[in-house]
Each structure stands twice: as structure tokens, then as C-alpha cells.
Amino acid sequence: MSQKDIPLFLITGFLESGKTQFAKESVLTDPNFVNGDSILFLVCEEGIEEYDVEELEKKNVHVEVLEQEIDVSTKILQGLYNKHKAKRVLMEYNGMWMLSTLYENMPDDWAVYQEFSFADASTFAGFNANMRALVVDKLQSADLMVFNRFTKDMDEMEFHKIVRTVNRRAQICYEYTDGKINTDEYEDPLPFDMEAPVIEIPDEYFAQWYRDVTEEPKKYIGKVIEFRGYPMSDKRFPPGTFAFGREVMTCCVEDIQYCSLIVSAEASRRVEVRTWYKARFKVEYKFHRLYGQKGPVLNLVSLEKTEVPEQPVATFY
């Protein structure tokens, strides 16, 4: 985020998850946030708790309601921003709307500064089971995930695992009904041996490994890894270069994508695309023009055809 960007403070979560309470008690009472500058406050969901619009206007906080997802358009957002000559934007987003709608339509000079997500712990499991795509949508970019209405009979680790499946950087808090607040400090050991001479990636953990190697590639420098996948090629690739990976599903069929890394091999090496191989590589971290930046490059050690995994599409769960 540059100094010229308009900061957007985003609050997400499902209906009655505590979004409004957080906005009223933590954000709109903070003198560092409400400091006299014009603030555009976009409300996309009206719950039981309501805002005192007249009182907020006195603080130069201008409430605008977006009633439908179609209202989250560049034209409308820019128009409301210009109307109030705002210095920053606060947005309470509708939990049933996909965040991609917002990200694709934000004015060019807007940038998400912080994203807070909230969930009622007593109903979260049901949402996760029945509306997985919406849950993942709200988890994957959150900076802070708060589970409120937490009770002593609930297992924090179960909630932790759901969040960490799609977001490894978010801070997680558990707000208990008795007023106690726990900050999540659970460690997530990787499900494969990073100290082994050859790091073998089991089929069921490919998605976790792929996320780890793309987020923290430097820790794999010089490591030898082995996993099953299939190659893909492109006319832009020079001889001996191909992509190797497999399809990954984050939450639903619609988001399946081929997740791969660049492989460097001898120019004479030939592979059959979309054919499954067990492959062994030595990892480098360097600039590659196909990435356009530094990234993990897999130097081919060995390659042999293998059978298709029992579950060809890798998942995080």
C-alpha cells in the first residue's frame, strides 16, 4: 500500500457474527480512526444492531447502505467516495456476498489496509459444512479471525485447523462467553519430514506442501523432494523446461486449478503432458523469466511414470 492509496478497513463475517458490535465498540470509538477526517462507512448488511447515523455524521462518518451485491461496483463506490471527499473507508461486508466482487470492483486507488473477520463459534461448524465456499472466501484474506461466543466445551484446535487450511498468516482469537479471550498460539508442524535426505510429499499433503513452498521457498533451497504429479508445457517454454504439479481444490469444484512449479531439465529431456510421474527434484530459489521474479525452480533428478493417485485432485482437508 502506497501513501497515495485510500485505506479500506474491511469487516467480514456472516449475519449476527459480531461485525456491527466490533465496528461500534472498537473502530468507531477509536480516536486514532475517527479523528475528524471524512470517513465513508459502507454498510452491506443490516442486522439486529443498528448504527446511530446522526451521531456518526457529527463525527464526520458518513454511512451509506449497499443493499445488493450488484451495488458493489466501481462506479458506485467511486461516486460515494467522491460525494463525501473521504480520507478512508470502513466497510461492513455482507457475509453472503463473495469478496471477489469487492476486489474486482474497488477503485484503483483503494487498498485494503486491514481485514477483520468474525464468526459465531456456535454456528461456524454448520456454515463450514454447508457453505464451505463462502467460509473459505471470508477466511483466505483475513488479517484477524475472531471466534466469539466460544464455550469451554469447544475445542480451539478444531477451529484452528479450519482457519489454517486456507490462511496461515491470520491472527486467531477466541472470545469466550465468560469474557475470557485466548489468542491462538498453536504451532502447525508440517506433515512431512523436512530433515529427511529426500523429502517425500504424500499425495494427500500435496496442497499443504505447495502452499508452503510458494510462501516460504527459501527454506527449501538445496532440499531434495519427491512427489507425484503431471507435467504441462507451453510454446513459451525453452527445451528442457516444463511445469510440474497437480490440480488443487481449495473449497469447491469451481475453484480447482493446476498448481505447479517450473522444472529445469536437460534440453533433450522429453515428457508426456498430462501423464502421471513420480518425480524427484533438487530445489533452487532464483529468478526465472517464466515467473517474472524469483521463485522455486525444481531441478530434475529423476522421473518415472506412475499410476494415477486414488484422489487425483489434491485438497487442504
Side-chain angles (χ1 to χ4, degrees), residues 66-83:
L66 302 178
E67 296 182 347
Q68 304 177 68
E69 191 170 1
I70 196 172
D71 294 333
V72 185
S73 68
T74 306
K75 181 178 180 180
I76 290 176
L77 296 178
Q78 187 68 59
L80 293 174
Y81 168 75
N82 292 341
K83 173 183 175 181

Side-chain angles (χ1 to χ4, degrees), residues 240-259:
T241 300
F242 55 90
F244 193 81
R246 57 189 297 182
E247 289 184 328
V248 173
M249 179 174 69
T250 301
C251 62
C252 53
V253 173
E254 288 76 13
D255 72 10
I256 292 176
Q257 57 181 323
Y258 178 64
C259 294

Side-chain angles (χ1 to χ4, degrees), residues 159-171:
F159 291 78
H160 167 95
K161 288 178 180 178
I162 293 172
V163 176
R164 288 292 178 252
T165 292
V166 293
N167 186 328
R168 294 179 61 187
R169 64 178 179 80
Q171 181 180 356

Side-chain angles (χ1 to χ4, degrees), residues 227 229-245 258 260-275 277-281 288 290-291 296-304:
F227 63 93
Y230 61 87
M232 296 292 286
S233 190
D234 187 281
K235 61 183 180 181
R236 298 172 300 162
F237 294 2
T241 300
F242 55 90
F244 193 81
Y258 178 64
S260 64
L261 297 174
I262 296 299
V263 174
S264 177
E266 294 181 358
S268 60
R269 183 75 202 205
R270 296 289 182 267
V271 294
E272 298 177 27
V273 298
R274 298 186 182 276
T275 297
Y277 293 89
K278 176 182 283 188
R280 184 173 292 186
F281 308 98
H288 198 289
L290 293 174
Y291 290 141
V297 175
L298 307 180
N299 293 304
L300 183 62
V301 176
S302 65
L303 193 70
E304 61 180 46

Side-chain angles (χ1 to χ4, degrees), residues 31-289:
N32 293 315
F33 185 80
V34 183
N35 60 2
D37 290 340
S38 178
I39 297 171
L40 171 61
F41 183 16
L42 299 170
V43 179
C44 305
E45 186 173 64
E46 296 186 86
I48 294 175
E49 290 199 58
E50 297 182 352
Y51 296 101
D52 189 330
V53 176
E54 291 185 4
E55 283 300 313
L56 289 176
E57 282 287 345
K58 294 176 183 178
K59 298 178 180 181
N60 214 10
V61 178
H62 310 287
V63 180
E64 297 283 357
V65 178
L66 302 178
E67 296 182 347
Q68 304 177 68
E69 191 170 1
I70 196 172
D71 294 333
V72 185
S73 68
T74 306
K75 181 178 180 180
I76 290 176
L77 296 178
Q78 187 68 59
L80 293 174
Y81 168 75
N82 292 341
K83 173 183 175 181
H84 298 292
K85 299 181 174 61
K87 296 295 184 181
R88 65 186 68 89
V89 181
L90 175 64
M91 189 175 205
E92 182 182 324
Y93 203 68
N94 190 312
M96 302 305 291
W97 301 351
M98 298 298 286
L99 280 170
S100 57
T101 303
L102 172 62
Y103 297 145
E104 292 168 4
N105 291 287
M106 282 198 312
D108 290 340
D109 58 350
W110 287 22
V112 176
Y113 185 75
Q114 286 182 307
E115 184 175 330
F116 310 94
S117 191
F118 293 83
D120 180 343
S122 65
T123 59
F124 182 72
F127 278 114
N128 188 55
N130 300 309
M131 293 188 287
R132 175 69 176 167
L134 283 169
V135 170
V136 170
D137 179 64
K138 304 306 176 291
L139 290 178
Q140 60 188 354
S141 54
D143 298 302
L144 171 67
M145 180 68 222
V146 178
F147 291 106
N148 51 49
R149 305 182 181 102
F150 220 83
T151 56
K152 293 180 180 179
D153 61 321
M154 295 177 179
D155 184 356
E156 292 180 0
M157 180 55 76
E158 292 303 312
F159 291 78
H160 167 95
K161 288 178 180 178
I162 293 172
V163 176
R164 288 292 178 252
T165 292
V166 293
N167 186 328
R168 294 179 61 187
R169 64 178 179 80
Q171 181 180 356
I172 308 172
C173 289
Y174 308 96
E175 294 188 354
Y176 283 78
T177 52
D178 63 3
K180 177 184 176 183
I181 299 177
N182 278 359
T183 300
D184 189 312
E185 296 181 355
Y186 299 108
E187 294 186 5
D188 290 293
L190 292 168
F192 38 83
D193 186 0
M194 286 291 293
E195 301 306 317
V198 177
I199 303 171
E200 298 181 10
I201 311 300
D203 292 328
E204 63 268 30
Y205 293 126
F206 174 83
Q208 287 88 338
W209 170 77
Y210 183 79
R211 180 179 61 189
D212 194 58
V213 74
T214 52
E215 289 183 354
E216 299 185 63
K218 292 182 180 180
K219 74 183 185 185
Y220 286 90
I221 295 174
K223 300 284 188 181
V224 177
I225 59 170
E226 183 176 277
F227 63 93
R228 288 202 290 181
Y230 61 87
M232 296 292 286
S233 190
D234 187 281
K235 61 183 180 181
R236 298 172 300 162
F237 294 2
T241 300
F242 55 90
F244 193 81
R246 57 189 297 182
E247 289 184 328
V248 173
M249 179 174 69
T250 301
C251 62
C252 53
V253 173
E254 288 76 13
D255 72 10
I256 292 176
Q257 57 181 323
Y258 178 64
C259 294
S260 64
L261 297 174
I262 296 299
V263 174
S264 177
E266 294 181 358
S268 60
R269 183 75 202 205
R270 296 289 182 267
V271 294
E272 298 177 27
V273 298
R274 298 186 182 276
T275 297
W276 285 86
Y277 293 89
K278 176 182 283 188
R280 184 173 292 186
F281 308 98
K282 189 169 185 179
V283 184
E284 280 189 279
Y285 176 69
K286 63 181 183 180
F287 177 87
H288 198 289
R289 65 182 183 83

